[in-house]
Amino acid sequence: SLANCCNYCSKPELYRPLQEMMGQLISWLDAVASSRSMVTRESGRMEAAFQDSRMLSALAEAGFSPTKIPALWEMLVAARQHESEAKFEAEEGQEMGIVPATVKRPGAGAASLGVISQLLIALRLMYGMGSIGPIKRTTSPEKSSVCYRMVVSKAAHPQTENRRRARSARGSGDAGTSGQQPVQLAILCMDPARPFLDACGTAYSTILTSGTLSPLGTFAQELGTDFAATLEGPHVVDMKRQVWAAALPWGPNNEPMSLTMGSLDKCTAQDQIGQGLVQLVKIIPDGVLVFVGSYGTMDKLQTRWKATGVWDELCSLKKVVVEPKQAGKDFDVAMDKYKTAVNQGRGAMLLGIFRGKASEGIDFADNQARGVVLIGIPYANRGDIKTNMKQAFNDNFKTAVQKGRPTTGAGGSKNEAVHLSGHAWYDQSAFRALNQAMGRCIRHKYDYGAVILMDSRFLKPASQAQLSRWVRGNLRDFPDFKSTIASLELFFANLALNPPKRPAPPSPVPAAPGRDAPEVPDD
């Protein structure tokens, strides 16, 4: 996109510095990815980690030293301004042989400039320059970057990754591709108080509202902020009548299921999950969302279920759609197939992952999600270097606070003495992802559905305490699998006979004799 702008745009001088910037970054990434600094991790990826002075030196080598950021930001702002005003007659230019047929716009486009914007905003925060508006240096780059880490990564075994992607694409009805694996750059903020305080520092008041802030105490600690008021409200629905929520700690054979990473590798656990899911899908009408912890677990379950016949049985009950790893067209196609099958009355089951787009960014209202099945607790992979770095940072910060040493954190909270340990953060991030997925089920006051927590660990009070309030106090308790299924069946049978009804819209106010009817304002 940037190359096209340099060749065919009316103001190539705006884009050439950005093109050179990205070209230098790509060359640096390729060099790092082929160097000995890349280490193969348990997660199956090769990664190189950078922090402190080594990170600053690497960024300077990549063309992103602190002195270059202000000029690059000005170029980005100018390019955006130009594209908001520019016009482009593609057909006229193409007829004259000036512009290739592949060039359809007068600039790089929002997607390309958006990637550059995200990169520069992250670097502005890292270097202590503020995230919005004109560049303002709040602290030295050496000091502000202490809370940041950088990771360059790529697949350790591209052929295996391509096969996995192909299986995912087939599950969503797409042929898939098998191109070269990309090199990824991650700039990670270890202390979320840094960007939070930067964003709300000039505001008179800051209000955070969401359905998934729970647990509130640890959330405030991570942001280094004492909130003057907190509220964890109840749900708007009638929980006893419209929501059926329960832990499902056993499979059909009533053997306990503790679905840790290790146990999910065993065929017995995979079979219990599959057989239990078949029974649930038989009862839950319309759309069912099923979330697992990772694409690796999803692949293992599919492979086993296809070998045992469980997959065929699920497909005979509903249209089964697998969430593809890549966002964009593949994901849109998968969602369209899922929703079409539900709307046509066949019903559908979406197999997705926690922290994926389907679990956090899609509205599945009414019959699009009459049930959500959450398989296990989505703890992050302990072999992931980013997870390890975050846990180590939190532990070091907590130890420094306890011993009275200066800290690298940005928060000035009175709660610093109880700042989250690495283990507490690890726990919190898992349940936040779980609560986010759980919320796909009930989307408005007249919605209804079932939430099934498939794992014996959900029987523990410590686990239940980290669930969102609307579910936490409303989990049903059953002695075995059979009674659980019977209760779920009765729940949907009753709602089929007497579903929640939206109130009728108010009647229009009759006009008084001799007067025109009052105007009704547009929504």
Side-chain angles (χ1 to χ4, degrees):
S1 295
L2 295 172
N4 282 337
C5 290
C6 293
N7 292 328
Y8 306 110
C9 177
S10 61
K11 291 190 176 182
E13 67 276 7
L14 295 179
Y15 297 94
R16 191 160 286 113
L18 299 177
Q19 182 194 21
E20 292 172 354
M21 171 193 78
M22 297 305 292
Q24 186 172 349
L25 174 62
I26 291 169
S27 297
W28 178 81
L29 284 173
D30 288 339
V32 173
S34 58
S35 71
R36 293 183 178 181
S37 60
M38 300 289 284
V39 178
T40 302
R41 309 288 179 181
E42 293 179 16
S43 60
R45 295 190 67 79
M46 296 184 70
E47 297 173 319
F50 302 81
Q51 67 183 78
D52 300 329
S53 60
R54 184 167 176 258
M55 177 176 67
L56 294 178
S57 297
L59 284 168
E61 186 180 339
F64 292 98
S65 63
T67 57
K68 291 189 175 182
I69 300 303
L72 292 171
W73 183 262
E74 288 181 8
M75 288 295 171
L76 172 65
V77 172
R80 279 182 158 171
Q81 180 65 28
H82 167 70
E83 296 199 8
S84 69
E85 301 170 350
K87 296 182 179 180
F88 178 58
E89 298 296 335
E91 293 181 1
E92 179 181 342
Q94 286 156 9
E95 288 176 2
M96 297 170 62
I98 301 173
V99 181
T102 54
V103 179
K104 299 293 185 184
R105 56 179 176 240
S112 297
L113 295 184
V115 171
I116 297 172
S117 176
Q118 291 173 7
L119 176 61
L120 293 181
I121 287 174
L123 292 171
R124 284 184 58 166
L125 283 166
M126 177 191 290
Y127 290 144
M129 299 176 178
S131 61
I132 55 177
I135 298 283
K136 58 181 188 296
R137 195 176 295 281
T138 57
T139 185
S140 69
E142 291 76 16
K143 184 177 180 180
S144 62
S145 63
V146 171
C147 294
Y148 286 81
R149 305 290 184 267
M150 187 169 71
V151 177
V152 176
S153 65
K154 68 177 182 178
H157 306 288
Q159 296 82 2
T160 302
E161 178 72 3
N162 283 331
R163 286 195 296 271
R164 191 207 58 70
R165 287 191 181 192
R167 286 197 300 271
S168 176
R170 286 197 297 271
S172 63
D174 193 276
T177 60
S178 59
Q180 184 179 359
Q181 296 303 310
V183 179
Q184 296 180 350
L185 171 67
I187 297 175
L188 309 165
C189 178
M190 299 288 106
D191 182 8
R194 284 290 179 98
F196 175 73
L197 295 176
D198 175 81
C200 68
T202 58
Y204 175 76
S205 181
T206 302
I207 300 174
L208 302 182
T209 176
S210 171
T212 52
L213 297 181
S214 177
L216 297 180
T218 54
F219 183 81
Q221 290 169 30
E222 274 282 271
L223 294 181
T225 303
D226 288 322
F227 290 92
T230 60
L231 170 67
E232 195 173 4
H235 212 296
V236 296
V237 302
D238 181 340
M239 288 297 300
K240 291 184 178 179
R241 175 161 135 51
Q242 292 171 249
V243 178
W244 187 97
L248 189 61
W250 350 253
N253 65 357
N254 288 322
E255 288 292 323
M257 292 190 299
S258 179
L259 303 180
T260 61
M261 289 291 290
S263 66
L264 284 169
D265 289 335
K266 298 177 180 178
C267 292
T268 51
Q270 296 168 8
D271 292 344
Q272 285 294 291
I273 295 169
Q275 292 160 13
L277 198 54
V278 167
Q279 297 303 314
L280 295 172
V281 169
K282 284 180 179 178
I283 295 170
I284 302 173
D286 304 313
V288 181
L289 307 176
V290 181
F291 295 112
V292 299
S294 68
Y295 286 104
T297 298
M298 181 190 290
D299 287 346
K300 292 172 187 175
L301 292 176
Q302 286 187 76
T303 300
R304 178 63 181 175
W305 293 347
K306 288 176 181 178
T308 60
V310 167
W311 188 261
D312 289 339
E313 195 166 358
L314 289 170
C315 291
S316 70
L317 295 168
K318 293 184 185 291
K319 171 76 173 177
V320 178
V321 178
V322 178
E323 179 181 3
K325 185 173 184 180
Q326 301 300 314
K329 182 180 177 182
D330 288 351
F331 182 86
D332 293 341
V333 169
M335 289 301 100
D336 184 62
K337 290 184 177 182
Y338 173 83
K339 293 186 175 184
T340 298
V342 172
N343 293 335
Q344 290 178 347
R346 179 183 174 185
M349 185 190 94
L350 175 67
L351 184 60
I353 67 159
F354 294 104
R355 301 183 182 89
K357 188 173 181 180
S359 71
E360 298 190 355
I362 304 295
D363 184 25
F364 294 96
D366 300 315
N367 64 347
Q368 296 295 326
R370 288 300 180 208
V372 176
V373 183
L374 309 169
I375 298 176
I377 301 174
Y379 287 107
N381 188 339
R382 289 193 181 274
D384 179 28
I385 190 173
K386 295 184 281 293
T387 299
N388 295 338
M389 288 192 298
K390 172 60 176 171
Q391 287 188 270
F393 178 89
N394 276 41
D395 284 336
N396 291 338
F397 184 91
K398 185 177 179 68
T399 300
V401 169
Q402 290 173 338
K403 293 185 176 182
R405 297 198 305 265
T407 69
T408 56
S413 170
K414 298 174 183 177
N415 292 326
E416 278 194 332
V418 288
H419 192 277
L420 281 179
S421 66
H423 178 75
W425 167 83
Y426 187 70
D427 240 19
Q428 173 196 274
S429 64
F431 278 91
R432 183 152 291 131
L434 185 135
N435 288 331
Q436 190 80 21
M438 193 161 56
R440 299 306 95 194
C441 186
I442 307 297
R443 307 302 295 172
H444 58 81
K445 187 176 181 179
Y446 305 101
D447 209 350
Y448 65 89
V451 175
I452 297 99
L453 303 164
M454 191 180 282
D455 195 316
S456 62
R457 290 175 290 177
F458 288 116
L459 295 179
K460 298 178 180 179
S463 294
Q464 293 185 10
Q466 298 197 66
L467 299 176
S468 293
R469 177 184 171 182
W470 66 279
V471 168
R472 187 192 315 148
N474 293 282
L475 287 175
R476 308 186 187 209
D477 189 29
F478 302 99
D480 52 33
F481 184 87
K482 184 177 180 180
S483 59
T484 305
I485 292 298
S487 173
L488 180 63
E489 192 168 16
L490 181 62
F491 170 79
F492 280 111
N494 289 336
L495 282 164
L497 294 173
N498 185 25
K501 294 182 175 63
R502 296 176 185 268
S507 302
V509 179
R515 295 185 181 180
D516 294 332
E519 292 185 3
V520 179
D522 294 333
D523 289 336

